[in-house]
Amino acid sequence: VLVLNKADLVPKGSPARHDVERRLSIYERIGYKVLFVSALEGEGVEDLRTLLCGRTSILVGNSGVGKSHLLNRLGEGEIAVTVGTISEKLKLGRHVTTTTTLHRLPGGGDPAYLIDSPGARRFSVWDVRPEELKEHFVEFIPYASGCKFSDCRHLEEPNCKVKEAVEEGHIAPERYVSYKRIYHLLLEGFEGARVTELRTAAES
């Protein structure tokens, strides 16, 4: 489930909301549930609570995206974790949550457990070889079996059904561009590199 917290910053009906909805619709098309949530105003909170019911889930995201604030909202006064602020200098969230904690959310029915994890400064691809990356783009899988070569990388190879699916609009071009960028970063040994290194390599 992809949760966009702080949805109050992009009000419903605004051009900004339409733009974000368009960008996230790519993930809905390939099977991910997308929720617009506002811990501040309550938008989407009950929908999220319903999804969490009967499961053990974890909040994962960058520092400052409002994970702890969202947990407090779901806790309905029974959970009160410390909420940090955004650094005015760096425009980044401060590390307030330093340990991983398990909380049981209040409410009847099947119990819902939610893990609050420390915020991340960056995300990298680990333990994935370049030739394995295609398996992590789930929308490629239905087409890959039709490629001329069984080990097709979906790059320059002829008769590639994945590339055809991109050209025909069945696979989002943005996802394919992302695949190629990550593939070349892995090939060049940038796996787990710092964000600045990744950006430099991507822009060169």
Side-chain angles (χ1 to χ4, degrees):
V1 179
L2 299 177
V3 176
L4 181 77
N5 193 24
K6 303 188 179 182
D8 49 281
L9 298 178
V10 283
K12 290 182 179 180
S14 68
R17 172 65 73 97
H18 290 315
D19 180 57
V20 175
E21 288 174 340
R22 178 189 59 80
R23 292 162 62 184
L24 292 180
S25 67
I26 293 172
Y27 299 96
E28 290 182 301
R29 284 174 54 188
I30 58 176
Y32 291 96
K33 178 72 174 177
V34 175
L35 281 181
F36 284 78
V37 174
S38 171
L40 181 64
E41 298 185 352
E43 178 186 347
V45 170
E46 292 309 310
D47 291 334
L48 178 58
R49 190 190 305 279
T50 299
L51 284 175
L52 297 173
C53 190
R55 296 185 171 93
T56 298
S57 308
I58 184 169
L59 291 170
V60 178
N62 294 102
S63 297
V65 298
K67 298 185 299 298
S68 296
H69 195 174
L70 183 57
L71 175 60
N72 287 343
R73 180 81 185 210
L74 290 165
E76 298 179 335
E78 296 183 22
I79 300 173
V81 297
T82 303
V83 176
T85 58
I86 302 296
S87 168
E88 289 297 326
K89 180 179 180 180
L90 301 176
K91 302 301 181 183
L92 296 172
R94 296 185 172 92
H95 285 295
V96 174
T97 303
T98 57
T99 58
T100 299
T101 53
L102 175 67
H103 302 269
R104 177 169 178 166
L105 301 182
D110 295 332
Y113 296 93
L114 190 56
I115 301 169
D116 189 24
S117 65
R121 286 293 189 199
R122 61 184 175 89
F123 289 95
S124 296
V125 178
W126 294 94
D127 297 324
V128 176
R129 296 192 297 269
E131 63 272 19
E132 298 172 335
L133 181 64
K134 59 188 178 183
E135 306 298 333
H136 296 272
F137 280 72
V138 295
E139 66 270 48
F140 290 9
I141 297 174
Y143 303 98
S145 61
C147 291
K148 180 178 181 179
F149 302 103
S150 60
D151 61 348
C152 184
R153 300 168 302 160
H154 316 313
L155 296 172
E156 298 88 8
E157 296 88 345
N159 299 321
C160 172
K161 294 301 180 181
V162 169
K163 289 192 296 183
E164 289 181 14
V166 174
E167 293 168 359
E168 294 170 1
H170 302 303
I171 293 176
E174 297 93 332
R175 287 278 291 172
Y176 183 63
V177 169
S178 178
Y179 165 75
K180 291 196 297 182
R181 180 179 60 83
I182 297 172
Y183 179 90
H184 289 296
L185 288 172
L186 291 173
L187 198 64
E188 294 163 11
F190 283 93
E191 179 182 351
R194 290 190 294 272
V195 170
T196 51
E197 293 174 332
L198 291 172
R199 287 176 178 165
T200 300
E203 293 168 359
S204 61

